[in-house]
Each structure stands twice: as structure tokens, then as C-alpha cells.
Amino acid sequence: MRNIPACIFCTTPFQIMAAICLMKDKKFKADLYILNQFKQADEVADRMQKEKIFEKVIAVDDSGIKQKYLSHRNYVEFRLKLATTYLHVKEIAESILIPDTHYDEMYVSSQAYVSRLVYFYIIKKKLDTKLVYFDDGEGSYDNDKAFIPKCSDRLIRLLMFGKKSCENVKTKYLYSPELYFRLHPQSAGEEVKKISCIWRDKEAKKLLERIFSLSDETKISEPVIFIDTLRSPLSVSMNETVDSALEILSAQFGKDRIIIKKHPRDFENMDDGYKYYLYNSIPFEAICTQMDMDKKVMVVVRSTAAVMPKILLNEEPYVIMLYKMIEGSEKDERGDLFFEACAEEYSRPDRFFMPTTLDEFKDILNKIRTEENIL
């Protein structure tokens, strides 16, 4: 029997970066399971195995498992299939887990389908493995309800796996416990520990370069980064406002000093004269480590990319978020609180803006332009 202190399940590059930081902090042995929910997941798993940071690295065919057990034609059928998969936890978990291995702890960032079933299998086997959460970006700070099962699901879990399958997990590892408690001042009984960010360390940066194929070509030299949102022909008001903001930005700084990072699923809407970032398979968090973010201006429609430099690297670029300017944009009070709390974490609060009109946006750009040694 292999006795390993931990296994870590990841579904995104951001989580892989956090998992590496956890290893550096805790200095324990762990197996890494990478679910293929992002492009090049299999390649990243191969590179991670060569780095020998983890005992073993397993690439999990997440899409294949879902196709086999969760294929559906409508929402009702999906809910029924989701419930019936609990009958197959042994079959699914044993197809994933390294045989004859016991883990003291299991680290997850979300209630992802496959990792959730693996944990239910561990409960059913009475393996006494502690579940721990680690940083997954915005949801780890402002959406605790994401981990609370729905009433129907809760009943099924209780019947099949016992109350442990519905318990709230008390231990969390986050990059910014301060931000978490700013959003949850009344939290009691929770153990929130800090993940140290290592990505300014020279060797750690080289490690990222190898894992995510970073190079001189993937660096962003332009001082202004415009992070677009997923466009839709039906979102007329949003498209007009975003395009107007981009025109104002271009008039202030010039198109040659702006690079546009489009949404990974948006392959259209490219305008002549602008430069576009071409390496969308590389996580933005990794790209940030290649730059001095304090010297950048980030204009973002609505994206957690805006706050990653602060949370991950403790660097404070100028940030201008545009979503409050968009007429008819969906109200998201929880998201508003998150971004406002991030702004409050800035040591220089005059670098984080959420304008409500294009005129206000223009005034902010004028202010930035007058700052000494900026652009």
C-alpha cells in the first residue's frame, strides 16, 4: 500500500499553479490529477510529470467519463443521470485513482463532477481522507454556496454516503485570506491558510515557462492590455459601449500601444489596426509573471484577470473595469462586492476604477496619462 500525504485535483491552469505553490509551502509528497477540461491538458500533465514536483501526475479523461455517464437531451434527464452516477462511484473512481494508494488529504478547488465522485468513493470505502479546498479565483472568495448541495442532491448523498458527504469543509488554502475575511467578516470555525505565491522567484518563473510554453513571443510589451468579453450579435448595447471605450482608449494612447486579449471562445470581431494577443491557450496568470504589472494599464469588461496581478503577485497595475457602463448588464451584487473588496486591497486605491459612463472613463484615462513615469 502506498501511503501518500495528499492528492490534488485540478481542472484549470490556475489551479495547477496553486497546486505547485501548495507543494512549495507544505513540502509534502502528493499525487496530481489533472482533468482535461482545458486545452493542452494532456501536454501539461506530461510536462508536469517530467518536472518531478509531484510523486505521480495523472491525466484524467474528464470528458470521456462525462460522455459515458452524463450524456443527456434535457435538464431533467441531466439531473436524473447525475443522481444515478452515484451508483457508479466505485467504477469511476477506480478507473482514475492510482491503485493500492491511501491519501491523508484530498485537495479540490470546486465541486467538479469527477473529483466529487472520487471523494464519495473515498467516504464509502471509509478511508479517512480529509477534504481540503484550495484557491480557484473569484469563486473561492465570494461564492461559498457553490459547495452547498441542492436539497434533492443532499438527500441522495445522505442516503448513499452518509452525512460526511454533505459537511462543510472548514480548511481552505487561499492566496489572500485577508480578501476572504474582508468579504466574510462573520466567518467562524473556518481555518483559512495562506498560499505563498512563488512566481517572482527566478526558478519558479522558469518552471512556468516550461509547463506552459512561455517564451519571448508570449510576452506582452504593450503598456495597455484590453481584455475583451465574449461578444454576441444580440448584445447590441454591450458591443457598442465596449467599442466606444476602445475608440476612446485608442485616441488617448494610440493603437500601437494597446494589445487586445480576446475571450478564448471569440474568434471573430477583429478590427483592422489593432494588435491581438495570439496565445489564448496560455493562462493569463502565467503571462503576468513575464511582465512588470505595476507598469501596465488593464482595461477589462468584466473578468477576474483584472485582480490576478494583485492576488497572485501583489502587483498593482492600473485597472479600469467597464461592466458598470453597460446598459442592461446583469446585476451581480456578489461580484460587485468582490471587485470592490479587491480595490480596497490596493495600497494605491487611485489605481483601480469602475466608471459608470464613457465620460467618466475618459476622465480616468486623462488622469492616468498625467501620472509621472507612466506611459
Side-chain angles (χ1 to χ4, degrees):
M1 171 73 74
R2 290 175 74 236
N3 289 298
I4 303 295
C7 61
I8 304 177
F9 279 74
C10 295
T11 61
T12 67
F14 178 88
Q15 293 172 16
I16 292 172
M17 290 173 66
I20 294 170
C21 291
L22 272 174
M23 292 295 296
K24 301 296 184 180
D25 270 351
K26 294 180 69 65
K27 295 180 173 60
F28 60 3
K29 292 182 178 180
D31 291 332
L32 178 67
Y33 293 84
I34 298 178
L35 281 62
N36 63 349
Q37 291 189 12
F38 62 94
K39 288 183 179 180
Q40 300 181 337
D42 292 339
E43 294 92 327
V44 169
D46 287 341
R47 295 173 198 146
M48 288 294 299
Q49 184 65 68
K50 291 174 183 175
E51 295 295 336
K52 301 188 183 301
I53 300 169
F54 297 88
E55 295 298 295
K56 292 187 178 182
V57 178
I58 307 298
V60 179
D61 184 12
D62 178 87
S63 56
I65 293 170
K66 288 178 180 175
Q67 181 64 33
K68 181 176 180 179
Y69 295 98
L70 272 188
S71 57
H72 58 279
R73 289 166 294 184
N74 54 56
Y75 180 75
V76 173
E77 187 177 343
F78 167 73
R79 295 305 306 180
L80 287 171
K81 287 215 168 186
L82 188 61
T84 57
T85 53
Y86 291 163
L87 299 171
H88 301 282
V89 292
K90 182 176 187 293
E91 178 183 346
I92 293 170
E94 290 183 352
S95 72
I96 296 167
L97 292 172
I98 299 168
D100 199 33
T101 300
H102 175 267
Y103 299 112
D104 298 325
E105 296 178 318
M106 177 178 176
Y107 286 75
V108 299
S109 285
S110 67
Q111 286 213 80
Y113 167 72
V114 169
S115 54
R116 183 167 78 244
L117 295 182
V118 168
Y119 184 60
F120 292 164
Y121 167 78
I122 287 171
I123 292 173
K124 199 165 187 176
K125 291 276 288 184
K126 295 181 170 50
L127 296 178
D128 193 29
T129 299
K130 179 183 177 182
L131 189 64
V132 181
Y133 290 153
F134 70 100
D135 206 305
D136 189 33
E138 179 182 353
S140 296
Y141 296 90
D142 71 356
N143 192 16
D144 277 358
K145 291 183 179 178
F147 296 103
I148 300 174
K150 295 182 179 179
C151 291
S152 57
D153 190 35
R154 182 181 181 87
L155 178 60
I156 296 169
R157 291 190 195 188
L158 286 170
L159 289 173
M160 296 190 69
F161 308 109
K163 66 178 183 179
K164 191 173 181 180
S165 65
C166 296
E167 290 177 351
N168 292 332
V169 176
K170 298 298 184 182
T171 303
K172 299 177 180 178
Y173 283 84
L174 302 177
Y175 285 113
S176 181
E178 301 83 5
L179 177 59
Y180 180 82
F181 285 115
R182 187 183 288 275
L183 288 162
H184 304 277
Q186 304 303 319
S187 294
E190 288 188 317
E191 186 180 24
V192 183
K193 299 183 178 181
K194 186 174 180 62
I195 299 177
S196 299
C197 187
I198 61 173
W199 304 120
R200 281 306 179 208
D201 176 78
K202 185 177 179 180
E203 292 304 313
K205 288 172 70 174
K206 288 182 178 178
L207 171 64
L208 273 191
E209 289 172 4
R210 295 191 295 271
I211 294 171
F212 295 115
S213 299
L214 300 174
S215 66
D216 287 342
E217 289 184 351
T218 64
K219 292 178 181 178
I220 294 177
S221 59
E222 291 78 10
V224 181
I225 305 170
F226 186 92
I227 299 182
D228 210 341
T229 189
L230 184 60
R231 303 293 193 99
S232 166
L234 301 177
S235 304
V236 177
S237 176
M238 181 190 75
N239 292 339
E240 289 178 349
T241 302
V242 174
D243 287 340
S244 295
L246 189 53
E247 288 176 9
I248 293 170
L249 189 66
S250 302
Q252 287 279 0
F253 297 109
K255 289 184 177 180
D256 62 322
R257 308 184 80 194
I258 301 167
I259 192 159
I260 300 174
K261 190 176 188 303
K262 296 188 71 62
H263 190 281
R265 296 198 302 276
D266 189 353
F267 304 105
E268 300 177 356
N269 306 304
M270 292 193 179
D271 297 328
D272 291 339
Y274 287 107
K275 291 185 282 186
Y276 290 86
Y277 192 74
L278 302 177
Y279 304 95
N280 277 337
S281 62
I282 300 175
F284 185 70
E285 298 80 17
I287 297 167
C288 287
T289 64
Q290 294 187 291
M291 304 177 276
D292 182 350
M293 294 303 297
D294 283 333
K295 295 181 179 178
K296 300 293 184 182
V297 176
M298 293 177 61
V299 181
V300 179
V301 178
R302 184 189 184 96
S303 170
T304 55
V307 299
M308 286 303 106
K310 176 62 177 177
I311 292 175
L312 281 179
L313 305 170
N314 198 29
E315 295 186 357
E316 300 182 355
Y318 284 98
V319 169
I320 309 172
M321 303 197 72
L322 305 180
Y323 71 96
K324 289 188 176 183
M325 301 185 339
I326 298 170
E327 183 180 345
S329 61
E330 185 177 342
K331 184 68 175 174
D332 182 2
E333 293 182 3
R334 190 175 63 229
D336 288 347
L337 289 173
F338 171 73
F339 289 121
E340 288 164 6
C342 290
E344 290 169 2
E345 287 290 304
Y346 260 51
S347 63
R348 294 169 288 181
D350 60 341
R351 280 178 160 244
F352 202 110
F353 305 94
M354 289 181 277
T356 57
T357 67
L358 285 169
D359 285 339
E360 189 179 345
F361 175 62
K362 189 181 296 185
D363 290 342
I364 291 166
L365 295 180
N366 284 329
K367 177 185 180 301
I368 294 173
R369 287 279 292 161
T370 60
E371 292 284 337
E372 288 188 22
N373 301 320
I374 296 295
L375 310 178

